[in-house]
mmCIF file of all heavy atoms in Angstrom:
data_model
loop_
_atom_site.group_PDB
_atom_site.id
_atom_site.type_symbol
_atom_site.label_atom_id
_atom_site.label_comp_id
_atom_site.label_asym_id
_atom_site.label_seq_id
_atom_site.Cartn_x
_atom_site.Cartn_y
_atom_site.Cartn_z
ATOM 1 N N SER B 179 -213.422 45.364 19.382
ATOM 2 C CA SER B 179 -213.571 44.019 18.832
ATOM 3 C C SER B 179 -212.558 43.758 17.716
ATOM 4 O O SER B 179 -212.110 42.628 17.522
ATOM 5 C CB SER B 179 -214.998 43.867 18.286
ATOM 6 O OG SER B 179 -215.085 42.682 17.564
ATOM 7 N N ALA B 180 -212.193 44.815 17.000
ATOM 8 C CA ALA B 180 -211.242 44.651 15.896
ATOM 9 C C ALA B 180 -209.797 44.785 16.348
ATOM 10 O O ALA B 180 -208.876 44.615 15.585
ATOM 11 C CB ALA B 180 -211.543 45.679 14.796
ATOM 12 N N MET B 181 -209.625 45.124 17.647
ATOM 13 C CA MET B 181 -208.296 45.452 18.152
ATOM 14 C C MET B 181 -207.227 44.389 17.880
ATOM 15 O O MET B 181 -206.147 44.747 17.417
ATOM 16 C CB MET B 181 -208.377 45.725 19.665
ATOM 17 C CG MET B 181 -207.328 46.686 20.151
ATOM 18 S SD MET B 181 -207.372 48.194 19.157
ATOM 19 C CE MET B 181 -206.046 49.063 19.848
ATOM 20 N N PRO B 182 -207.486 43.117 18.156
ATOM 21 C CA PRO B 182 -206.420 42.124 17.901
ATOM 22 C C PRO B 182 -205.904 42.189 16.470
ATOM 23 O O PRO B 182 -204.706 42.189 16.230
ATOM 24 C CB PRO B 182 -207.126 40.804 18.160
ATOM 25 C CG PRO B 182 -208.258 41.114 19.053
ATOM 26 C CD PRO B 182 -208.684 42.502 18.697
ATOM 27 N N SER B 183 -206.854 42.305 15.550
ATOM 28 C CA SER B 183 -206.460 42.355 14.130
ATOM 29 C C SER B 183 -205.691 43.634 13.807
ATOM 30 O O SER B 183 -204.705 43.597 13.081
ATOM 31 C CB SER B 183 -207.727 42.242 13.283
ATOM 32 O OG SER B 183 -207.389 42.048 11.969
ATOM 33 N N ILE B 184 -206.129 44.740 14.390
ATOM 34 C CA ILE B 184 -205.458 46.015 14.142
ATOM 35 C C ILE B 184 -204.025 45.960 14.680
ATOM 36 O O ILE B 184 -203.081 46.403 14.010
ATOM 37 C CB ILE B 184 -206.230 47.186 14.794
ATOM 38 C CG1 ILE B 184 -207.606 47.348 14.130
ATOM 39 C CG2 ILE B 184 -205.442 48.485 14.666
ATOM 40 C CD1 ILE B 184 -208.467 48.383 14.763
ATOM 41 N N ILE B 185 -203.887 45.398 15.885
ATOM 42 C CA ILE B 185 -202.551 45.316 16.474
ATOM 43 C C ILE B 185 -201.644 44.456 15.592
ATOM 44 O O ILE B 185 -200.468 44.771 15.368
ATOM 45 C CB ILE B 185 -202.624 44.711 17.884
ATOM 46 C CG1 ILE B 185 -203.387 45.662 18.803
ATOM 47 C CG2 ILE B 185 -201.248 44.435 18.419
ATOM 48 C CD1 ILE B 185 -202.551 46.682 19.508
ATOM 49 N N THR B 186 -202.176 43.358 15.081
ATOM 50 C CA THR B 186 -201.419 42.533 14.143
ATOM 51 C C THR B 186 -200.967 43.368 12.966
ATOM 52 O O THR B 186 -199.814 43.295 12.525
ATOM 53 C CB THR B 186 -202.245 41.359 13.637
ATOM 54 O OG1 THR B 186 -202.723 40.634 14.746
ATOM 55 C CG2 THR B 186 -201.431 40.457 12.728
ATOM 56 N N GLY B 187 -201.873 44.207 12.462
ATOM 57 C CA GLY B 187 -201.533 45.087 11.347
ATOM 58 C C GLY B 187 -200.413 46.043 11.707
ATOM 59 O O GLY B 187 -199.489 46.267 10.914
ATOM 60 N N VAL B 188 -200.463 46.585 12.915
ATOM 61 C CA VAL B 188 -199.413 47.521 13.353
ATOM 62 C C VAL B 188 -198.065 46.812 13.407
ATOM 63 O O VAL B 188 -197.068 47.340 12.899
ATOM 64 C CB VAL B 188 -199.767 48.087 14.773
ATOM 65 C CG1 VAL B 188 -198.587 48.828 15.343
ATOM 66 C CG2 VAL B 188 -200.969 48.992 14.679
ATOM 67 N N ARG B 189 -198.088 45.613 13.919
ATOM 68 C CA ARG B 189 -196.808 44.871 14.002
ATOM 69 C C ARG B 189 -196.260 44.552 12.616
ATOM 70 O O ARG B 189 -195.085 44.746 12.357
ATOM 71 C CB ARG B 189 -197.055 43.574 14.765
ATOM 72 C CG ARG B 189 -196.282 43.492 16.024
ATOM 73 C CD ARG B 189 -196.651 42.285 16.748
ATOM 74 N NE ARG B 189 -195.489 41.455 16.964
ATOM 75 C CZ ARG B 189 -195.489 40.434 17.816
ATOM 76 N NH1 ARG B 189 -196.563 40.131 18.475
ATOM 77 N NH2 ARG B 189 -194.386 39.726 17.971
#
Side-chain angles (χ1 to χ4, degrees):
Chain B
S179 170
M181 209 52 183
S183 190
I184 295 175
I185 295 271
T186 305
V188 169
R189 243 174 121 167

